[in-house]
Amino acid sequence: MQTAPSEDKIPVVDSTSGPQSNGEGLYFSDGRRKVDYVLVFHQRRHGSIRSPTSTSVSHDRLSIVSNGNFPQSAGLHAAAGVGGAIPAGEAANVDEVFMELGFAGGNEPAEPADHEMHLIRQEFEANLLEAGLEIERDGESKAHGPSFTRLHAPWPVLCREAEFLKIKVPTKTSYELKEESGFGSSMSTVWQKLNQPFQPKVPQQDHGRTKFLSHCFSRDKLHLYNITSKDTFFDNATRGRVVYEILRRTVCVRTCQTIGISTLIAKGVYDAAFPLHDGDFRVDGDADDRNDRQVLHEEWARYSAFYKYQPIDLVRKYFGEKIGLYFAWLGVYTQLLIPASIVGIIVFGYGVATVDTNIPSLEMCDERLNFTMCPLCDGACDFWRLNTACGTARASHLFDNPATVFFAIFMSLWAVLFLEHWKRRQISLSFSWDLTGIEEEEEHPRPRYETILRQKRQRKQKNKKHKKKTSEPDKQEAGTVRGKDRWRQKLLSAMAAGIPTAIDKLTWKDRLPGYFINVSSILFMFGLTFSAVFGVIVYRIVVSALMAMSPDPETKSNVRVTVTATAVIINLVVILILDEIYGAVALWLTELEIPKTETNFEERLILKAFLLKFMNAYAPIFYVAFFKGRFVGRPGNYVYVFNGYRMEECAPGGCLIELCIQLSIIMLGKQLIQNNIFEIGIPKLKKLVRSLKDKGSAEEEREEERPPQQWNLDYALAPFEGLTPEYMEMIIQFGFVSLFVASFPLAPLFALLNNVIEIRLDAKKFVAELRRPVAIRAKDIGIWYNILSGMGKFSVIINAFVISFTSDFIPRLVYQYMYSQTGTMHGFIDHTLSHFNVSSFKPGTAPHNSGDITLCRYKDYREPPWSPDAYQFSKQYWCVLAARLAFVILFQNLVMFLSLMVAWGIPDVPKTIMQQLKREKKLLVDVFLREEKEKFQLIQSLFAKDTTHQQPGSKRPHAGQGFAVPGRYSTLPPGPTQASSGDGGGGQRARCRAASFSQVTRKTLPTNENENSKHTAV
């Protein structure tokens, strides 16, 4: 049997070799090539895979080469195993996949699972080499611990992928932005001077008023771009994105039949894959030599920079457009909370200023009016005086006053203004970030989708084989395939079969069980939320009754305050617990639906999580706003629960003050606890546990006395898990600010204070505590905008009902303009209280010490006991109800009309952006026309030269031999492949896919594909 090398063709270097000052571990061991991406996997303690230093040869091995040939002699391996990485294409047959089966040459047998992972990694990394990437890996001298595989994309690969991804890059052509003139220019200058202290000290990325034209990268037009250095033309974020694109489409056909790095991470082949940060975030040396990460940490991720604008352009450059848009949206939202907070403070100040002149509050606090109220519970509770609720009435006026209606209208228009302003800001960012006209990228299937699809294919193949076996005699009995033969047979069958293409998608029948579980689980979660709310209601009723029966007069006097405060705290704790549960449940339910792509998965996850968390956060508030006190009944005919406890009533001043307390405590509690404990405490706790777990390996590394490289430092950081939790937190807050803002005008102020801290907290987390995410292009914030728009429209309805049904605004208007004798609010309290004859109490429900009281009062619009229709709803009740419904209709239509006027008056695209887009389009057309004209003139001059100077028998020079043609040919290596391409290198334009589906159908790639990945000059 032919002997194969003991390790694959990946170059192995000692992690301590190479220069240590090459950008703090940002380069290969040669100190020249950047580390664009890192793959991490763990070595097991049993050491089933042989060390590269081992020279023993396995006696039972199957060596397979990707092009179907046997491997060459081990001399090639000796050349590859020397320290330093080999660029793809510099050695013959770099795409060979050497797979060892059976024993690893040692005395210890290899575990099948670990050995299979090793084979998959070998094939995957060989396919990465074939795609043009360059790979370097640490020596496996230690038997366990993380092992790092570093990837580098050379210039030809960057050019090829940038052209495929249609990445826009700046050209040499520039133009001057139009400057304002006259009064606008002077105002702009004054505003810039006033804003100067609030600007972060970030190196200017632009060139003042000069803007360079951008165009999708093309290898045919390299001469149009301002390429000063091939190493810096594509920034680190773009390089990482290019490598990630190759990683996510690279397939493993022979070993596991999967595609993409995400699938391999899900299978456990790799532990992690991430691009590197730009060095340490701490500034040690000169401040002028700071990298982008250090600049972001100093000017953006510090709490002391809370008053400064965000360096959004630098955030986008470092993290990508998707994360840049999130922070830009959060900045716009926070800025617009400033005017809302100012108006809310004014409204609250109006309530404070008028509380001493408010006639209904004065009447409730007046002891001379002597309103005797009916008991709050049966039997044990006595009659009580209305003036004992004076404090509640005065506090209610702070939030329930005429200015509240104005504030509700203002906040409804504010929500529309916020969305319109964000659309304009988004268009401006799209223009400045060259996102206009980008197309949706084709996404690869998710790992779980691919797994379910493969299982379906295997079931179909198994059924076909079973049918064949029934017609043909069995050639081999079951159980005769053992150990290493089973692995060999599995591998060969995978190679022979490939991936069938007859079934290319899952149908609704495959997803039907997931849909059924989704619907039933969501209904169950709704029931759980309502049960939690009902449980708190029962708690309030029972505790109120027990405290009312207490002989202690101080306990009796504090019943309402104690019950309300404790119930709200219980609600908050339940909401926080269910929030975490619902987040995990939404993720599980989305996995059951088996979405095909990550975009579909994210959208479905967002909808489920938002629906569950929305119900969880707002169910207690909806109960207090619209249900509490509505189904109480009346004295003598109360509504009971559990055959003994009366339904709870609103406070004498109305339910609005309780709604305010509920909203404020839940809002502030969620923000303080989730921000400080969940976002700060839990990550630090996880980091502490991880550090304790890795304490042994850390001590071993310390003994080796080598400085940690950047990939070690980044691997110790927490992985990036998406922006959904960040958006969700802000969307729920937006609901607190907009939905029930009529009951709590200070909500925008508390949201503003929270967001000022939230921006810096998220910034610190992204810069210093998370691994660097892959830069992802995005034109907008996606489905979150639709959710915001829907909540803005829903807030109009909610605020209309809060003002008309929860507050006393409508009853006051009806009384003042229909029933008041003087046209004032005098007598309003007496008008809203009905009479009840204490002799009509049911047996056992009357107070024990009734004294000489014959009538008591209760808050409702009912006929008095001396009326023929005693205790029926009065005419005043129906007049107030009609006024309330009319107000809801009027408020909704008025606000909707004003919202449409605001949206119509503010164009989505700023006028300056439209003008610049037209100008850029015209300039690009002029550039290309000029280029075509120059090409035509060059061809004409060449033909004229041929006709005048051509000697008899001479031949016309071949393209690329007689003169240099700018464009793609400069990315191709010189050699016989160019001359044999026939069209001047057209054969090289075939896109190099790493183990693409042409390999799946067992078609070999052209032999000159690896030639395309060599370094050449532009």
Side-chain angles (χ1 to χ4, degrees):
M1 177 178 292
Q2 177 143 353
T3 302
S6 64
E7 187 61 20
D8 50 11
K9 297 296 182 180
I10 307 302
V12 179
V13 298
D14 187 4
S15 57
T16 59
S17 65
Q20 296 296 333
S21 60
N22 51 5
E24 300 177 358
L26 300 177
Y27 292 84
F28 275 15
S29 57
D30 57 10
R32 290 181 286 107
R33 286 170 290 171
K34 288 184 179 179
V35 178
D36 296 323
Y37 223 88
V38 175
L39 308 179
V40 188
F41 64 92
H42 266 270
Q43 298 286 352
R44 307 301 176 185
R45 286 186 178 274
H46 50 70
S48 61
I49 300 172
R50 237 180 345 167
S51 169
T53 59
S54 174
T55 57
S56 59
V57 180
S58 172
H59 297 287
D60 193 351
R61 174 177 307 153
L62 174 64
S63 299
I64 300 174
V65 184
S66 62
N67 59 5
N69 299 325
F70 285 101
Q72 296 183 357
S73 61
L76 193 65
H77 168 65
V82 183
I86 57 170
E90 287 190 7
N93 298 329
V94 293
D95 55 347
E96 295 176 359
V97 183
F98 295 97
M99 303 178 183
E100 301 178 11
L101 299 174
F103 293 94
N107 297 325
E108 233 178 310
E111 292 187 6
D114 292 339
H115 204 93
E116 184 180 10
M117 299 297 181
H118 179 60
L119 299 180
I120 295 172
R121 283 195 294 268
Q122 283 183 327
E123 182 186 359
F124 184 73
E125 292 174 7
N127 288 337
L128 293 179
L129 284 173
E130 188 177 353
L133 295 181
E134 299 175 5
I135 301 178
E136 181 182 74
R137 194 168 69 196
D138 288 340
E140 300 175 6
S141 56
K142 55 182 181 181
H144 66 279
S147 181
F148 299 92
T149 301
R150 298 175 288 280
L151 307 178
H152 168 76
W155 172 255
V157 175
L158 292 174
C159 293
R160 182 190 71 210
E161 297 299 325
E163 182 174 357
F164 170 68
L165 296 174
K166 298 181 180 179
I167 296 176
K168 286 190 174 183
V169 294
T171 64
K172 295 178 182 178
T173 307
S174 63
Y175 67 95
E176 295 292 328
L177 296 177
K178 185 178 179 181
E179 296 186 2
E180 297 181 0
S181 57
F183 179 74
S185 177
S186 58
M187 290 299 297
S188 177
T189 304
V190 172
W191 180 251
Q192 288 178 1
K193 290 182 179 179
L194 293 176
N195 264 341
Q196 192 63 34
F198 305 102
Q199 297 295 333
K201 298 178 182 178
V202 177
Q204 293 296 325
Q205 303 296 327
D206 56 5
H207 299 271
R209 304 297 300 176
T210 303
K211 188 177 188 303
F212 286 87
L213 289 180
S214 296
H215 186 259
C216 294
F217 186 86
S218 174
R219 287 175 286 178
D220 291 333
K221 305 183 185 306
L222 287 179
H223 57 284
L224 295 180
Y225 311 126
N226 189 16
I227 306 177
T228 57
S229 172
K230 291 187 294 184
D231 295 331
T232 59
F233 182 70
F234 295 105
D235 57 28
N236 292 341
T238 305
R239 297 175 70 98
R241 181 174 158 227
V242 165
V243 176
Y244 175 73
E245 173 64 25
I246 298 175
L247 288 173
R248 77 170 188 171
R249 71 166 186 257
T250 302
V251 300
C252 288
V253 181
R254 303 167 185 83
T255 52
C256 61
Q257 298 184 3
T258 56
I259 179 171
I261 186 64
S262 301
T263 311
L264 297 182
I265 293 176
K267 285 178 172 290
V269 178
Y270 290 99
D271 288 345
F274 51 88
L276 290 181
H277 279 292
D278 291 355
D280 194 4
F281 62 86
R282 302 176 186 87
V283 180
D284 295 331
D286 189 4
D288 296 335
D289 298 333
R290 296 181 298 177
N291 57 44
D292 289 345
R293 190 185 186 192
Q294 293 170 344
V295 172
L296 288 174
H297 183 262
E298 294 293 322
E299 301 295 333
W300 181 51
R302 287 181 176 271
Y303 292 109
S304 57
F306 72 93
Y307 62 94
K308 292 185 178 181
Y309 289 100
Q310 299 184 86
I312 291 298
D313 290 333
L314 187 59
V315 173
R316 172 253 178 179
K317 177 189 174 186
Y318 193 82
F319 293 109
E321 286 80 4
K322 190 171 184 178
I323 295 177
L325 283 174
Y326 162 71
F327 281 104
W329 172 82
L330 184 57
V332 170
Y333 173 46
T334 305
Q335 287 177 7
L336 286 183
L337 281 174
I338 296 175
S341 302
I342 294 174
V343 177
I345 293 173
I346 293 174
V347 170
F348 181 75
Y350 172 81
V352 173
T354 58
V355 66
D356 293 330
T357 59
N358 182 45
I359 295 176
S361 299
L362 295 176
E363 288 184 349
M364 286 188 67
C365 297
D366 192 352
E367 297 181 1
R368 296 171 297 178
L369 295 179
N370 194 19
F371 292 115
T372 302
M373 305 299 293
C374 295
L376 296 175
C377 64
D378 294 339
C381 298
D382 295 331
F383 298 101
W384 57 285
R385 300 289 182 180
L386 183 61
N387 57 18
T388 58
C390 176
T392 305
R394 290 172 63 86
S396 179
H397 177 73
L398 300 178
F399 305 99
D400 187 6
N401 53 67
T404 304
V405 180
F406 160 76
F407 188 62
I409 297 176
F410 170 81
M411 288 304 295
S412 299
L413 297 179
W414 173 88
V416 178
L417 186 66
F418 162 60
L419 293 177
E420 292 298 321
H421 181 59
W422 167 244
K423 280 198 290 187
R424 290 172 61 86
R425 174 68 169 156
Q426 190 171 258
I427 293 295
S428 300
L429 291 176
S430 297
F431 172 73
S432 61
W433 293 352
D434 298 321
L435 298 177
T436 54
I438 66 170
E439 301 175 359
E440 294 292 334
E441 297 180 6
E442 180 184 357
E443 292 190 69
H444 291 290
R446 298 183 67 250
R448 177 169 174 78
Y449 180 89
E450 204 177 37
T451 302
I452 300 297
L453 184 60
R454 186 172 65 253
Q455 292 174 357
K456 182 177 180 181
R457 290 165 176 164
Q458 290 173 352
R459 285 196 301 269
K460 186 173 182 180
Q461 288 181 355
K462 188 176 181 181
N463 294 335
K464 289 182 180 179
K465 290 180 181 179
H466 181 69
K467 292 179 182 179
K468 290 181 180 180
K469 286 182 179 180
T470 55
S471 59
E472 298 179 1
D474 294 336
K475 296 183 179 180
Q476 186 176 4
E477 294 182 0
T480 58
V481 182
R482 301 179 290 103
K484 56 196 176 187
D485 297 323
R486 181 168 66 250
W487 289 100
R488 180 186 291 110
Q489 183 177 357
K490 180 179 179 182
L491 183 60
L492 293 175
S493 62
M495 289 181 57
I499 299 179
T501 57
I503 305 174
D504 56 352
K505 64 179 180 179
L506 298 178
T507 61
W508 64 271
K509 295 180 181 179
D510 302 311
R511 296 186 171 98
L512 187 60
Y515 291 153
F516 177 76
I517 296 175
N518 263 265
V519 174
S520 57
S521 299
I522 290 176
L523 292 177
F524 173 76
M525 294 300 161
F526 283 175
L528 181 62
T529 301
F530 296 146
S531 300
V533 174
F534 184 72
V536 176
I537 295 171
V538 172
Y539 163 81
R540 294 164 67 115
I541 294 173
V542 172
V543 174
S544 297
L546 293 177
M547 292 185 68
M549 298 177 186
S550 173
D552 186 7
E554 187 176 351
T555 303
K556 285 186 175 182
S557 62
N558 296 325
V559 169
R560 198 174 297 276
V561 176
T562 304
V563 171
T564 301
T566 55
V568 172
I569 293 174
I570 293 174
N571 266 328
L572 174 62
V573 174
V574 171
I575 287 172
L576 293 176
I577 294 174
L578 290 182
D579 248 5
E580 300 302 313
I581 296 176
Y582 287 167
V585 169
L587 183 64
W588 174 66
L589 293 178
T590 310
E591 289 284 1
L592 290 179
E593 289 188 15
I594 323 174
K596 184 174 182 179
T597 62
E598 285 293 342
T599 300
N600 293 337
F601 178 84
E602 187 177 1
E603 289 180 353
R604 297 185 184 194
L605 174 62
I606 288 170
L607 286 176
K608 289 182 186 61
F610 172 74
L611 189 62
L612 293 174
K613 293 190 176 186
F614 181 87
M615 291 296 299
N616 181 41
Y618 296 113
I621 301 174
F622 270 96
Y623 163 73
V624 174
F626 303 121
F627 296 100
K628 185 179 180 181
R630 309 278 184 239
F631 312 101
V632 177
R634 60 172 180 82
N637 189 23
Y638 284 113
V639 177
Y640 293 90
V641 293
F642 302 119
N643 297 325
Y645 296 102
R646 279 165 41 182
M647 289 293 292
E648 57 178 345
E649 305 176 37
C650 288
C655 276
L656 194 71
I657 183 61
E658 294 189 37
L659 177 62
C660 174
I661 295 173
Q662 186 99 8
L663 180 66
S664 59
I665 292 181
I666 291 178
M667 177 182 176
L668 296 178
K670 274 181 65 68
Q671 291 181 352
L672 292 176
I673 295 177
Q674 284 189 336
N675 287 356
N676 294 321
I677 296 180
F678 291 174
E679 290 195 20
I680 299 177
I682 292 181
K684 290 187 178 298
L685 184 62
K686 288 182 178 179
K687 189 175 182 180
L688 178 63
V689 172
R690 198 184 310 119
S691 63
L692 292 176
K693 191 179 295 183
D694 299 338
K695 188 175 181 181
S697 59
E699 289 178 355
E700 292 178 4
E701 291 182 0
R702 203 175 295 117
E703 290 175 1
E704 297 176 7
E705 294 184 356
R706 61 185 183 191
Q709 300 292 339
Q710 188 63 43
W711 46 84
N712 297 95
L713 298 175
D714 286 6
Y715 181 63
L717 300 177
F720 173 69
E721 298 178 351
L723 291 170
T724 300
E726 315 298 336
Y727 272 114
M728 188 66 68
E729 181 185 347
M730 290 296 105
I731 294 297
I732 296 297
Q733 184 201 85
F734 180 79
F736 286 127
V737 169
S738 59
L739 291 181
F740 296 94
V741 74
S743 64
F744 189 42
L746 296 179
L749 175 63
F750 289 112
L752 173 65
L753 298 177
N754 173 80
N755 288 5
V756 169
I757 301 174
E758 178 73 18
I759 290 176
R760 308 303 163 179
L761 178 66
D762 287 347
K764 185 176 181 61
K765 182 168 63 175
F766 273 87
V767 172
E769 298 175 4
L770 294 180
R771 296 173 192 161
R772 186 174 187 171
V774 179
I776 300 176
R777 280 194 304 183
K779 295 185 294 185
D780 47 41
I781 60 175
I783 196 173
W784 295 110
Y785 181 84
N786 299 330
I787 294 176
L788 285 169
S789 179
M791 291 185 71
K793 294 178 174 61
F794 189 48
S795 68
V796 177
I797 303 173
I798 295 298
N799 283 309
F801 276 93
V802 167
I803 293 173
S804 60
F805 285 91
T806 309
S807 74
D808 286 337
F809 177 73
I810 299 300
R812 289 170 185 167
L813 287 181
V814 172
Y815 173 78
Q816 184 174 2
Y817 292 104
M818 292 184 64
Y819 297 102
S820 177
Q821 300 296 328
T822 60
T824 62
M825 293 301 297
H826 289 286
F828 173 73
I829 297 298
D830 184 56
H831 177 76
T832 58
L833 298 177
S834 299
H835 296 79
F836 179 74
N837 193 340
V838 297
S839 61
S840 301
F841 276 121
K842 290 182 179 181
T845 62
H848 300 304
N849 300 321
S850 58
D852 56 350
I853 298 175
T854 58
L855 293 174
C856 64
R857 310 293 293 272
Y858 62 98
K859 189 172 182 178
D860 206 346
Y861 291 100
R862 291 182 182 268
E863 296 290 345
W866 53 83
S867 173
D869 299 324
Y871 305 125
Q872 299 297 318
F873 287 118
S874 63
K875 293 181 180 179
Q876 290 89 337
Y877 171 83
W878 299 110
C879 288
V880 171
L881 180 62
R884 282 173 165 167
L885 294 176
F887 176 81
V888 169
I889 297 174
L890 177 64
F891 183 89
Q892 288 184 18
N893 285 278
L894 174 64
V895 174
M896 290 295 184
F897 173 75
L898 294 177
S899 301
L900 290 175
M901 293 297 294
V902 171
W904 175 78
I906 302 176
D908 293 343
V909 183
K911 184 178 179 181
T912 56
I913 300 297
M914 292 183 65
Q915 294 175 350
Q916 291 176 12
L917 284 173
K918 293 178 181 178
R919 187 177 181 186
E920 283 198 0
K921 188 175 182 180
K922 180 178 179 299
L923 289 174
L924 278 176
V925 171
D926 293 341
V927 168
F928 291 135
L929 287 178
R930 186 167 61 251
E931 182 189 8
E932 293 298 325
K933 184 178 179 181
E934 291 175 356
K935 286 183 178 180
F936 182 70
Q937 291 177 352
L938 177 61
I939 293 174
Q940 278 187 333
S941 63
L942 290 174
F943 272 106
K945 187 176 180 180
D946 281 348
T947 55
T948 56
H949 299 287
Q950 187 175 15
Q951 300 296 329
S954 62
K955 295 182 180 180
R956 183 170 301 168
H958 189 276
Q961 297 175 357
F963 55 92
V965 180
R968 68 187 180 202
Y969 306 105
S970 55
T971 66
L972 298 178
T977 55
Q978 259 188 334
S980 62
S981 60
D983 60 345
Q988 294 288 341
R989 295 306 301 277
R991 184 164 160 259
C992 181
R993 284 182 175 269
S996 60
F997 288 103
S998 60
Q999 288 182 331
V1000 173
T1001 56
R1002 306 193 69 183
K1003 293 181 181 179
T1004 59
L1005 291 169
T1007 57
N1008 59 356
E1009 281 294 319
N1010 285 329
E1011 298 285 342
N1012 192 30
S1013 60
K1014 289 184 180 178
H1015 284 283
T1016 54
V1018 177

